[in-house]
């Protein structure tokens, strides 16, 4: 059974968001394909056929995901490798990007303290606090997810 990649607005937004997080377009598209299909459903060839990316782009995208430990492979009796997405490394990747909110909050607090104009300083401090709240909320959500996910999905 084939799981056709439908490039509806949701799919495009998922890929665009992954790309905004610094994941190259081919790798982001591969993540999307692997998310919507059962584990080990896709092979290199099926990813090429379903995404329209060249075989070289798929190879490069898979290599990138391998360096992040986001994928695992199983070889079938015909020696074809089938690929699955490992969710935990994707979450870890996202966590690392969330550190940027904390860093931005720190930098904005420092900039606010240096301002002589109290109204402008207050505006900067407000944005800094927003970044801090985003950072804290994200970490709480990830911690909750890990507590629920980890017991049912032991490390590979």
């Amino acid at each position: 059974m084939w799981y056709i990649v439908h490039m509806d607005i949701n799919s495009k937004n998922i890929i665009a968001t992954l790309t905004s997080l610094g994941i190259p377009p081919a790798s982001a598209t591969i993540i999307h394909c692997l998310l919507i299909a059962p584990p080990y459903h896709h092979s290199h060839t099926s990813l090429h056929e379903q995404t329209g990316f060249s075989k070289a782009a798929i190879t490069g995208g898979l290599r990138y995901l391998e360096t992040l430990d986001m994928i695992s492979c199983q070889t079938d009796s015909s020696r074809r490798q089938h690929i699955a997405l490992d969710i935990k490394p994707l979450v870890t990747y996202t966590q690392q990007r969330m550190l940027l909110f904390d860093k931005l909050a720190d930098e904005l607090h420092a900039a606010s303290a240096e301002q002589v104009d109290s109204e402008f300083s207050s505006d900067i401090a407000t944005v800094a606090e927003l970044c801090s709240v985003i950072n804290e909320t994200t970490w709480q959500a990830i911690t909750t997810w890990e507590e629920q996910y980890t017991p049912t999905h032991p490390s590979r």
Side-chain angles (χ1 to χ4, degrees), residues 104-130:
L104 180 58
D106 289 345
E107 296 299 330
L108 289 171
H109 280 298
S112 173
E114 293 174 3
Q115 287 298 320
V116 290
D117 181 339
S118 64
E119 184 177 339
F120 188 58
S121 176
S122 175
D123 288 347
I124 295 171
T126 301
V127 175
E129 286 304 314
L130 174 63

Side-chain angles (χ1 to χ4, degrees), residues 9 16-18 20 30 46 59 79 90 94 123 137 150:
I9 191 69
T17 301
L18 291 169
S20 295
I30 290 168
S46 70
T59 298
R79 298 198 299 183
L90 179 59
T94 304
D123 288 347
T137 303
T150 304

Side-chain angles (χ1 to χ4, degrees), residues 13-83:
N13 287 339
I14 290 169
I15 294 166
T17 301
L18 291 169
T19 302
S20 295
L21 286 169
I23 297 174
S27 296
T29 304
I30 290 168
I31 289 172
H32 175 262
C33 291
L34 297 175
L35 276 171
I36 64 171
Y40 303 106
H41 171 78
H42 280 294
S43 66
H44 185 283
T45 301
S46 70
L47 289 169
H48 160 68
E49 291 170 351
Q50 289 199 349
T51 64
F53 280 104
S54 69
K55 289 181 180 182
I58 295 297
T59 298
L62 289 171
R63 280 190 186 136
Y64 179 80
L65 296 175
E66 282 176 329
T67 64
L68 299 174
D69 293 325
M70 282 192 200
I71 59 172
S72 58
C73 300
Q74 289 182 350
T75 305
D76 65 16
S77 59
S78 65
R79 298 198 299 183
R80 176 177 283 193
Q81 284 194 332
H82 295 274
I83 306 152

